[in-house]
Amino acid sequence: QNQQMKRSRVSGHSVLRNINPGEGEVMAVSHFNTSSASILTYATQRGHIHSLDLRSAREPFSLDLRPELGYLTDMEVGSEKNWIVAGTSRGYVGLWDIRFQTMVKLWRHSRDSPIKRLTNGFGSSSDEASRPLLFMGCDNNEAALFDVSTGGCLQCYRVLDSSLSYVDQSALPHDCLTMPYLESVDIPSRFGKRLVSLDKALQMTTGSSSRSGASMSALVGGINLRGTSYLMTGGSDHMIRYWDLNTASKSCCVSGLARNQPPPSFEQIQMGSNSRLILCRQPSTTPASLMESSRLPLRNRHGVVKCDGQHLDSILDIKVVKNPALLLSASRDHTIKLWA
């Protein structure tokens, strides 16, 4: 009996569908159940969203993203299973109604940044579940919470450059204190008409290729009116941060701080009646040559110490395990780490 328990539960595999190589890489995969089907959805880099009914191997729906909007970067299925949202490399966000297989809304991110990651942010209460909330990660080392029904930004989570760590809030650059927004784009009724002109598309491509800086490419979180609301982020700065959406001062850095690097500070700014901006100030490490030996941490004078568990490259994805409470992170450094 013990030997049977040690055996793998997977007895084999079979090919359900071959993907056309011309559609590019598979950028996102999602699965959901309905009353009559078990549907697997996947999105390819060239802007095609396919579905597959695992019970009958048929395709319930197929959606397409116009090529002038850029390469598809991520996709998310709404918790009600009625809508799908996808982001692109040129900062566009499209919303489809699955029931009618039609794009009902198209936005462009105000930062002109590629959409790095999309994830649901729904609460468990009935009032909050009726409001579609979506976390969106992008460049400039920031993420935001948007209401998909209106396109409005409810909260923004931004990491400031280390050079601004000790700058007074009133002296911060204007870009650091502005909220992102989604600019509505008209969807033409005639299929052959371009959504974006060729000159504008080339300009956007040139601007995105010259842009540098950290980005948030891994998000997981949840909004809950009756419990803890949080967001965990990871990205190209190798750091995993926990953002407490109820009390900003309780936020922290889970992983990624260098030795001797001071912990970050988090501050909340009310932006109007319904929006909030949470800033993370992350001071850089003070060189040991500029510190008095008596003020150096003791571990710097103890010889060999335990190695750090932080990632050494960009963090690509993070997931939360509820029972028990654990965190999984995957990085471009070829490692998957488990955090307790």
Side-chain angles (χ1 to χ4, degrees):
Q1 184 177 2
N2 292 336
Q3 292 181 353
Q4 292 179 353
M5 294 179 63
K6 293 180 180 179
R7 293 176 182 174
S8 173
R9 295 183 180 181
V10 179
S11 59
H13 68 276
S14 60
V15 177
L16 296 179
R17 177 180 296 178
N18 290 317
I19 301 173
N20 183 1
E23 294 188 14
E25 305 174 18
V26 175
M27 307 301 295
V29 178
S30 183
H31 174 266
F32 62 92
N33 290 313
T34 66
S35 58
S36 59
S38 178
I39 298 179
L40 176 72
T41 60
Y42 61 93
T44 59
Q45 190 178 34
R46 293 298 180 93
H48 302 286
I49 301 176
H50 296 283
S51 62
L52 178 66
D53 189 344
L54 300 180
R55 300 176 185 177
S56 62
R58 66 182 180 89
E59 186 169 46
F61 60 87
S62 177
L63 309 172
D64 294 314
L65 195 63
R66 302 285 286 273
E68 62 264 30
L69 301 179
Y71 288 114
L72 191 148
T73 54
D74 199 19
M75 173 200 69
E76 182 75 349
V77 179
S79 61
E80 301 94 345
K81 321 307 178 190
N82 293 329
W83 54 269
I84 286 181
V85 64
T88 75
S89 59
R90 292 178 178 169
Y92 287 93
V93 181
L95 173 67
W96 288 266
D97 191 317
I98 299 178
R99 297 165 296 182
F100 302 100
Q101 302 181 28
T102 303
M103 178 183 284
V104 295
K105 199 69 180 177
L106 179 66
W107 297 283
R108 184 185 178 191
H109 198 285
S110 60
R111 295 285 186 181
D112 293 336
S113 164
I115 306 301
K116 297 294 186 178
R117 184 54 59 96
L118 301 168
T119 186
N120 276 315
F122 300 92
S124 59
S125 65
S126 58
D127 294 339
E128 193 68 20
S130 62
R131 191 179 188 185
L133 304 180
L134 186 74
F135 289 112
M136 187 179 302
C138 60
D139 284 346
N140 307 305
N141 216 1
E142 74 173 35
L145 177 67
F146 289 94
D147 187 336
V148 177
S149 62
T150 62
C153 181
L154 303 178
Q155 296 180 3
C156 179
Y157 323 99
R158 182 174 297 145
V159 180
L160 298 181
D161 186 84
S162 57
S163 61
L164 302 174
S165 298
Y166 302 105
V167 177
D168 188 77
Q169 185 182 121
S170 60
L172 288 173
H174 178 70
D175 289 345
C176 297
L177 299 175
T178 57
M179 295 287 288
Y181 61 90
L182 296 180
E183 179 185 356
S184 181
V185 178
D186 294 333
I187 304 175
S189 57
R190 186 163 53 90
F191 178 78
K193 185 178 180 181
R194 291 180 61 94
L195 292 171
V196 182
S197 65
L198 181 59
D199 293 340
K200 187 175 182 180
L202 293 174
Q203 182 182 3
M204 293 167 58
T205 303
T206 304
S208 61
S209 61
S210 61
R211 188 183 296 113
S212 60
S215 62
M216 290 189 182
S217 53
L219 303 176
V220 63
I223 306 295
N224 192 341
L225 294 179
R226 300 181 180 179
T228 302
S229 297
Y230 71 95
L231 175 66
M232 302 196 74
T233 63
S236 58
D237 61 358
H238 314 170
M239 292 191 179
I240 301 176
R241 296 181 176 87
Y242 172 85
W243 306 74
D244 191 308
L245 307 188
N246 297 325
T247 308
S249 59
K250 294 182 180 180
S251 305
C252 63
C253 183
V254 177
S255 169
L257 290 177
R259 294 178 183 177
N260 308 333
Q261 186 173 6
S265 62
F266 295 81
E267 59 187 271
Q268 177 177 302
I269 305 174
Q270 192 69 30
M271 309 291 289
S273 58
N274 298 320
S275 300
R276 291 187 300 168
L277 172 64
I278 301 179
L279 298 179
C280 171
R281 297 175 183 260
Q282 181 61 70
S284 57
T285 304
T286 304
S289 59
L290 300 180
M291 297 180 62
E292 299 178 9
S293 59
S294 59
R295 295 185 178 182
L296 287 173
L298 291 177
R299 64 179 181 178
N300 283 7
R301 291 177 274 150
H302 281 176
V304 179
V305 296
K306 183 179 179 180
C307 63
D308 294 327
Q310 64 189 29
H311 285 292
L312 303 179
D313 207 337
S314 297
I315 298 170
L316 302 178
D317 202 5
I318 51 179
K319 296 295 180 184
V320 171
V321 181
K322 295 184 179 180
N323 293 312
L326 301 171
L327 177 69
L328 283 169
S329 60
S331 171
R332 193 174 282 128
D333 62 8
H334 311 291
T335 63
I336 298 175
K337 296 183 182 292
L338 179 65
W339 310 86

